[in-house]
Amino acid sequence: MTLVTSTPLTLRGRTFTAANPAVMGIVNRTPDSFYAAARYDDLARAAEAVGQLVADGADLIDVGGVRAGQQGDWIDENQEIERVLPLLELIRANHPDLLLSLDTWRAPVARACAHVRIDLVNDTWQGADPELVHVAAELGAGYVVSHTGGAAPRTDPHGVSYGQNDEPDDVVADVLDTLRLGAERAERAGVNPTSVLIDPTLDFGKTTRHSLRVLRATAQISTLGYPVLQALSRKDFVGETLDLAVDDRLDGTLAATAVAGWLGTVCFRAHDVRATRRVVDMVASIRGDRPPMVARRGVRH
């Protein structure tokens, strides 16, 4: 069986490959995140959560200050900065070598956090602010290229279709084109190609049918030549596929994670870091990229 060759990801001199995929732990500085267990409006609790995520195996921490969906209050850039900056400063003080990702679509927010040393700018809204990729380059940070089908920030999908007849492969073609063009734009802006992550961004601008089809196309996405990020954790496509509420979506998430890992994903954004770490390491070993940590069974001593 021919396995997909994962493109390595490099952030601030640390390299992640098929043998050691990156797990990105999520800390949302929001009172209304879709997953209640990841809401950390209290700064001290958020800092404690970071320590636990690191202990559970997170390689980097993704800090966000705005709910992705349209529910909840609109948060302007100053409010977003007030939410994320104190936590980023605290993390940097407590974990000076930890890789930090900032989840924002706004260039002014990234600029305001520049002194913290942001290692990755996680732009989940397909370059809605065209200046953001240039800020990432200025910071020497990596940059996430996403696919939302052109949806504006904080909008939920409604009546979404791709191509003339919305055939299953039409959404895949749109994802491939968008990610390729976005990655090329990031390179032109000055982001190191090995630090350009491409994220098919399941759920965003997609129906559940679209997301499932795009997940199956992860190997094709990997062939674009950039490291692939999958943000699968407890998303609606998992919930609708199994008819489960957010709190009950871990099993489905881990199944999707295993498939994504087998098909060449090198970075995984996750709420449940310990479980995700074990799954991606196990998949890496089944693929033959990572040796077992212990090999005693059946061995002559």
Side-chain angles (χ1 to χ4, degrees):
M1 179 182 296
T2 302
L3 295 176
V4 175
T5 301
S6 302
T7 301
L9 166 67
T10 300
L11 296 173
R12 302 285 185 192
R14 288 191 61 187
T15 299
F16 302 95
T17 68
N20 65 320
V23 177
M24 176 193 292
I26 302 168
V27 178
N28 289 318
R29 289 282 286 132
T30 56
D32 55 359
S33 173
F34 85 102
Y35 181 41
R39 298 172 186 166
Y40 297 102
D41 52 339
D42 179 79
L43 185 60
R45 285 188 61 246
E48 290 176 6
V50 170
Q52 186 60 58
L53 292 171
V54 172
D56 287 344
D59 300 292
L60 64 160
I61 300 296
D62 189 47
V63 175
V66 182
R67 178 174 178 151
Q70 64 189 16
Q71 297 87 356
D73 295 334
W74 180 260
I75 302 299
D76 66 27
E77 63 188 43
N78 290 326
Q79 292 172 296
E80 185 179 354
I81 292 167
E82 289 172 1
R83 286 181 173 183
V84 299
L85 183 54
L87 178 58
L88 290 168
E89 291 174 333
L90 189 55
I91 296 172
R92 184 55 72 219
N94 294 339
H95 306 273
D97 298 323
L98 181 62
L99 294 172
L100 287 181
S101 170
L102 173 61
D103 181 353
T104 186
W105 77 87
R106 293 165 163 152
V109 175
R111 278 209 173 91
C113 300
H115 64 281
V116 180
R117 199 201 79 201
I118 301 300
D119 303 298
L120 180 68
V121 175
N122 184 12
D123 180 2
T124 55
W125 286 104
Q126 198 178 312
D129 182 343
E131 185 61 22
L132 183 56
V133 67
H134 297 283
V135 176
E138 292 167 12
L139 301 181
Y143 179 76
V144 175
V145 176
S146 59
H147 174 277
T148 66
R154 296 202 65 187
T155 57
D156 292 324
H158 177 73
V160 181
S161 63
Y162 290 88
Q164 186 172 359
N165 299 308
D166 200 26
E167 296 294 334
D169 289 341
D170 291 340
V171 64
V172 174
D174 198 89
V175 167
L176 291 170
D177 286 344
T178 298
L179 295 183
R180 176 180 54 80
L181 292 172
E184 291 171 354
R185 179 173 177 269
E187 282 197 62
R188 289 194 302 272
V191 180
N192 190 315
T194 63
S195 301
V196 176
L197 270 167
I198 52 176
D199 176 9
T201 326
L202 307 188
D203 270 5
F204 285 53
K206 299 173 186 68
T207 65
T208 289
R209 172 175 167 269
H210 291 146
S211 291
L212 291 169
R213 179 64 188 92
V214 172
L215 178 59
R216 292 197 300 274
T218 301
Q220 290 174 261
I221 296 168
S222 298
T223 64
L224 291 174
Y226 298 91
V228 176
L229 165 68
Q230 287 280 15
L232 309 165
S233 190
R234 298 181 179 269
K235 281 193 167 178
D236 283 349
F237 85 93
V238 175
E240 290 191 358
T241 298
L242 301 176
D243 193 16
L244 295 173
V246 174
D247 289 346
D248 203 19
R249 295 175 184 174
L250 177 58
D251 297 337
T253 295
L254 295 179
T257 298
V259 170
W262 184 263
L263 295 177
T265 302
V266 78
C267 184
F268 299 83
R269 184 176 184 272
H271 298 99
D272 306 279
V273 165
R274 184 173 63 172
T276 301
R277 175 86 269 163
R278 291 175 176 176
V279 167
V280 301
D281 285 349
M282 189 68 190
V283 170
S285 295
I286 295 171
R287 278 176 47 106
D289 299 309
R290 171 188 180 275
M293 293 185 68
V294 179
R296 290 192 293 263
R297 183 173 176 82
V299 176
R300 186 183 299 277
H301 297 287

